[in-house]
Amino acid sequence: MTDISRHSKVEIQSLQDEKLRATLHYVYKNSAFYSRVYSEAGIDVSSIQGIADLHRLPLTSKDDLQRHNEAFFCVPKEQFVDLVTTSGTLGNPVTVALTENDLQRLTTNEAMALACAGIQNTSTVQLMTTIDRRFMAGLAYFMGLRELGASVIRVGSGLPELQWDSIQRYRPTHIICVPSFLLKLIDYAKTNGITLDSCGVKAAICIGEPVRDEAFELNSLGKKIKNDWDINLYSTYAATEMQTAFTECEMQQGGHLLPDLIVAEILDENDRPVTSGEPGELVITTLGVEGMPLVRFKTGDMVQLHSSPCSCGRNTPRLGPVIGRKQQMIKYKGTTIYPPAMYNVLEDFNNIESFVIEIDSNDLGTDEIVLKVVSEDISEAFKEEIKNHFRAKLRVSPSIEFTTADHIKELQFPKMSRKPIVFIDKR
């Protein structure tokens, strides 16, 4: 496992350019999709000398993956050893097929990413995410931890009682979980007389939800956790299609790019590079993937890329927290917002137990926001307090419906779901 992130920027770009050239020749030869697209566009892949030339290539969309899934496969099906699917948040799930070499790449990726967050061979890590149900992330975490030589406790998701039994029994130094689940662990500890500060956990690798804002300060969720449980919170970002992760280092100033595994672009709404430091859509090109490589794939995630040197010594760009999904952008009475901004506002209320946000279109063709909330306080005064807080923070005033925990659970965990759903788009 060689980490080149501390090499000079010139050396890093030279390696990326070399790997990009190899990737383009590989997909042109082996991918039915890219061979057709590049031929129809009259593109000679030999003319693409590096990242500076990427803009000359067409973009790959999620719709392309859904409509031509198997055309992206670059090896015969019998060479695939692991088949996973995307979560299908914005459409039908896509199959991502991995060869033995891809599994090793995934292992190396996660080992480097988790090492960036401080996990080492002396660490004991409790894994609070599923490793089955065609889910790539859980498997990646497990294999990466084994590559590092860390001890792993595979508890899976949910079940606060079992999680605490394992924490007290094995005293892990780190946990990997969805950060909002940490609140459930904190509540269980308080109810059952468990002392948080003496349980041995030093840090949590937070997946699926941001715990920092765009200035890298803890957001409402992060503050809630830290107020009760003084552990380090590390953010990590990944997507099944890119088979790579961006994880924070000890400076906690964004997830570091792994330069020998992926190329990242940030594009505006016209698919042009954004001004440095401005938010835009993350577009990735995988490096070294054998089974299903992707070139200029539009992730749909809106982020900021930070290129200034990190004080940890790494010379790689860093991704800020996901602002939102491009397709989940909401236009509400002249204001543009993304769901994570609303999650952050709702986390300011300690007496909101759980929630789901539903978006629909009204008869005028504009977006309507409905917050379905579980709380012991279902008074009109509390409803108005929530609305006023939204007006102050986001300049919007959504509709609010109080409901039951059972109803919210049905909405959050539909059939085949691998993770809780808190945003439902009915538009």
Side-chain angles (χ1 to χ4, degrees):
M1 184 172 64
T2 303
D3 184 2
I4 68 163
S5 62
R6 298 178 192 275
H7 290 200
S8 72
K9 288 190 175 183
V10 171
E11 290 175 310
I12 289 172
Q13 181 164 334
S14 177
L15 175 68
Q16 285 197 303
D17 287 345
E18 179 185 341
K19 290 205 163 199
L20 176 62
R21 291 193 295 269
T23 293
L24 294 178
H25 285 283
Y26 181 78
V27 298
Y28 186 73
K29 179 182 178 182
N30 297 290
S31 165
F33 177 82
Y34 286 115
S35 178
R36 174 181 61 80
V37 168
Y38 293 166
S39 295
E40 289 176 354
I43 294 171
D44 177 6
V45 294
S46 298
S47 67
I48 308 299
Q49 292 300 301
I51 295 173
D53 297 327
L54 264 178
H55 67 278
R56 294 167 50 195
L57 297 174
L59 294 156
T60 304
S61 69
K62 288 182 180 287
D63 184 58
D64 291 327
L65 280 183
Q66 288 168 343
R67 292 193 295 116
H68 310 290
N69 199 167
E70 293 191 8
F72 284 86
F73 295 171
C74 288
V75 299
K77 288 184 179 180
E78 56 267 24
Q79 292 187 28
F80 292 126
V81 298
D82 193 52
L83 301 171
V84 299
T85 56
T86 60
S87 60
T89 304
L90 299 177
N92 293 325
V94 168
T95 296
V96 177
L98 293 84
T99 65
E100 187 64 48
N101 287 335
D102 292 334
L103 278 183
Q104 184 54 54
R105 177 188 177 279
L106 188 67
T107 298
T108 300
N109 149 78
E110 204 58 57
M112 289 194 294
L114 294 174
C116 190
I119 294 178
Q120 50 193 330
N121 61 0
T122 56
S123 304
T124 299
V125 184
Q126 187 152 318
L127 188 54
M128 299 183 181
T129 182
T130 183
I131 203 168
D132 55 7
R133 304 186 74 175
R134 305 194 309 237
F135 191 43
M136 177 183 284
L139 179 63
Y141 301 137
F142 176 70
M143 295 192 306
L145 291 167
R146 294 304 309 123
E147 179 91 350
L148 287 172
S151 302
V152 188
I153 312 160
R154 293 180 291 108
V155 181
S157 58
L159 304 172
E161 183 177 2
L162 179 58
Q163 301 290 357
W164 273 114
D165 177 74
S166 291
I167 291 172
Q168 293 178 306
R169 187 184 299 264
Y170 303 114
R171 296 184 63 79
T173 55
H174 297 73
I175 54 182
I176 299 177
C177 68
V178 176
S180 57
F181 184 65
L182 291 172
L183 298 179
K184 296 184 185 299
L185 291 181
I186 291 168
D187 285 343
Y188 185 91
K190 288 179 177 179
T191 302
N192 292 274
I194 297 171
T195 305
L196 290 163
D197 293 339
S198 61
C199 68
V201 176
K202 299 176 181 177
I205 312 300
C206 299
I207 64 174
E209 298 170 344
V211 291
R212 297 186 211 290
D213 58 25
E214 293 159 54
F216 301 121
E217 300 294 331
L218 288 175
N219 61 16
S220 295
L221 175 58
K223 289 176 183 176
K224 263 188 177 182
I225 296 166
K226 286 282 286 185
N227 284 342
D228 284 309
W229 199 356
D230 189 20
I231 56 176
N232 280 318
L233 303 176
Y234 292 92
S235 294
T236 186
Y237 164 81
T240 303
E241 298 95 332
M242 66 190 194
Q243 304 178 46
T244 320
F246 296 74
T247 303
E248 286 184 331
C249 67
E250 67 273 16
M251 307 313 299
Q252 299 173 333
Q253 296 290 297
H256 280 276
L257 177 144
L258 299 176
D260 49 344
L261 300 182
I262 199 164
V263 173
E265 303 173 77
I266 310 296
L267 304 184
D268 64 18
E269 58 186 12
N270 298 311
D271 294 332
R272 295 172 182 164
V274 299
T275 304
S276 179
E278 290 296 312
E281 182 178 8
L282 174 64
V283 174
I284 60 94
T285 298
T286 57
L287 302 174
V289 171
E290 184 177 53
M292 190 177 156
L294 296 175
V295 179
R296 302 201 80 202
F297 173 68
K298 302 179 72 173
T299 65
D301 290 326
M302 304 296 290
V303 299
Q304 288 176 274
L305 192 71
H306 300 265
S307 300
S308 58
C310 183
S311 50
C312 74
R314 293 177 177 84
N315 289 314
T316 49
R318 306 179 314 281
L319 281 189
V322 174
I323 300 167
R325 302 296 295 269
K326 188 174 183 180
Q327 286 180 257
Q328 292 179 342
M329 182 180 73
I330 303 161
K331 296 289 286 187
Y332 188 78
K333 298 180 180 179
T335 299
T336 299
I337 53 176
Y338 291 95
M342 292 190 284
Y343 306 159
N344 200 37
V345 172
L346 287 166
E347 291 291 352
D348 285 337
F349 293 94
N350 291 323
N351 50 351
I352 290 181
E353 298 171 21
S354 58
F355 61 84
V356 164
I357 300 172
E358 288 188 350
I359 307 297
D360 208 344
S361 296
N362 59 27
D363 294 338
L364 299 176
T366 56
D367 294 340
E368 290 292 338
I369 306 171
V370 178
L371 309 182
K372 296 193 172 185
V373 173
V374 177
S375 173
E376 289 186 0
D377 186 350
I378 58 173
S379 66
E380 286 299 316
F382 183 48
K383 183 182 290 187
E384 193 60 30
E385 183 182 348
I386 297 172
K387 286 188 174 185
N388 287 337
H389 196 52
F390 266 83
R391 290 188 191 102
K393 293 285 188 178
L394 300 178
R395 296 181 298 169
V396 300
S397 180
S399 298
I400 297 170
E401 296 178 4
F402 292 118
T403 187
T404 65
D406 287 342
H407 179 56
I408 289 292
K409 188 174 181 180
E410 288 177 8
L411 294 174
Q412 288 185 339
F413 295 95
K415 190 177 180 180
M416 299 296 288
S417 174
R418 299 186 304 212
K419 51 189 176 183
I421 294 170
V422 293
F423 179 79
I424 300 174
D425 196 340
K426 294 183 173 181
R427 292 173 294 183

